[in-house]
Amino acid sequence: MIGGCRVVFSRPLKVEETYEVQAELLSLERKIGKRTGVMDLLKFNVILVETGGEVACTITYTWVLPRGKSNADGR
Amino acid sequence: MLTVGDELTPIEINEVLAEDVLEWSSILNDPNPIHLDPKASAANGLGNRTVNQGPANLGAIINLIVSNFPDGMIEVIDVKFVGNVFSGDSLRASGRITDVNRDRDCSRIRCAVELRAGNRIALTGQVEIRLPGQPQSYRCSDE
């Protein structure tokens, strides 16, 4: 499930414009929540690039990936 | 004159409809069953109602900004999804101006925003808006 997002519009998105969508993984971090147990926090960027090569929008997502109940060693 | 600390005019949604949650799943191509079937929500410990999509919750915040700043352009949205919105919930999107700055050819406004589902906080964050020109109806943070 989505935990957060940061959207940065470098320029307006336009109807009829073609965008290349790029993505990059930023981090994957294991956490132990009091209610959710073991979870992984996955942070990644989705980048919309205009045909001329200019970045139009960058979205940094944080997704929460529940991994079930906590074990003593967090696995 | 708008200034730091002013509240935005909130947006109220009386009820999140289950059929709208279904439609969002189709638009977003999101097959997660917690949006489609109350039994799937229950199986995941989320109660007996379908879960509204996070982007739909974010849409309420974007509507809040657009309705309060119709000439503005959103430059940055930075939010955390801290709780679920369920079908049947009422929603209230609200915000407060936290910073106003004038640049050479525009003004930039920062707002703290929040989405509540009933009494629960579902989303919190910050939005930065660029306004064309230097409207004198805004008092800058350093004035």
Side-chain angles (χ1 to χ4, degrees), chain B:
Chain B
M1 175 177 286
L2 286 178
T3 188
V4 170
D6 283 354
E7 299 286 334
L8 306 186
T9 301
I11 283 184
E12 310 259 2
I13 297 172
N14 288 335
E15 182 182 1
V16 175
L17 300 176
E19 52 262 42
D20 289 345
V21 179
L22 273 176
E23 188 170 5
W24 268 97
S25 281
S26 175
I27 293 168
L28 296 170
N29 195 23
D30 181 349
N32 191 329
I34 63 173
H35 306 307
L36 310 173
D37 183 356
K39 291 177 184 171
S41 298
N44 284 278
L46 297 171
N48 56 2
R49 295 180 287 165
T50 51
V51 179
N52 204 30
Q53 289 83 358
N57 300 338
L58 183 57
I61 295 296
I62 293 172
N63 284 348
L64 169 76
I65 297 301
V66 170
S67 66
N68 277 270
F69 303 101
D71 296 328
M73 189 181 95
I74 295 173
E75 289 191 320
V76 180
I77 305 172
D78 194 351
V79 297
K80 289 184 178 176
F81 298 84
V82 297
N84 286 315
V85 172
F86 300 97
S87 55
D89 278 341
S90 62
L91 294 182
R92 186 176 195 271
S94 62
R96 177 174 45 84
I97 295 175
T98 59
D99 196 27
V100 179
N101 281 293
R102 287 200 187 92
D103 209 334
R104 293 174 64 181
D105 60 349
C106 66
S107 297
R108 285 189 167 82
I109 295 174
R110 184 178 299 149
C111 297
V113 294
E114 178 182 279
L115 181 69
R116 281 182 177 266
N119 293 323
R120 308 183 315 274
I121 299 176
L123 183 156
T124 63
Q126 303 274 335
V127 181
E128 296 175 25
I129 307 115
R130 180 184 191 275
L131 291 172
Q134 298 186 348
Q136 298 303 308
S137 55
Y138 298 92
R139 177 179 294 151
C140 290
S141 300
D142 57 358
E143 291 176 349

Side-chain angles (χ1 to χ4, degrees), chain A:
Chain A
M1 54 192 157
I2 188 169
C5 71
R6 177 179 171 85
V7 187
V8 178
F9 294 96
S10 305
R11 47 181 62 202
L13 301 185
K14 300 174 208 159
V15 175
E16 304 282 338
E17 178 76 51
T18 298
Y19 295 96
E20 179 180 283
V21 182
Q22 303 174 352
E24 58 183 355
L25 298 180
L26 300 176
S27 64
L28 180 62
E29 188 177 1
R30 177 143 293 187
K31 298 268 190 181
I32 302 176
K34 288 180 181 174
R35 287 183 302 169
T36 52
V38 180
M39 58 186 153
D40 290 329
L41 295 183
L42 175 64
K43 189 175 280 194
F44 60 99
N45 275 346
V46 173
I47 305 160
L48 303 186
V49 183
E50 293 181 352
T51 50
E54 296 290 335
V55 172
C57 180
T58 303
I59 309 164
T60 304
Y61 283 112
T62 302
W63 278 77
V64 180
L65 308 172
R67 300 302 191 197
K69 295 295 181 187
S70 171
N71 296 324
D73 58 1
R75 289 184 295 175

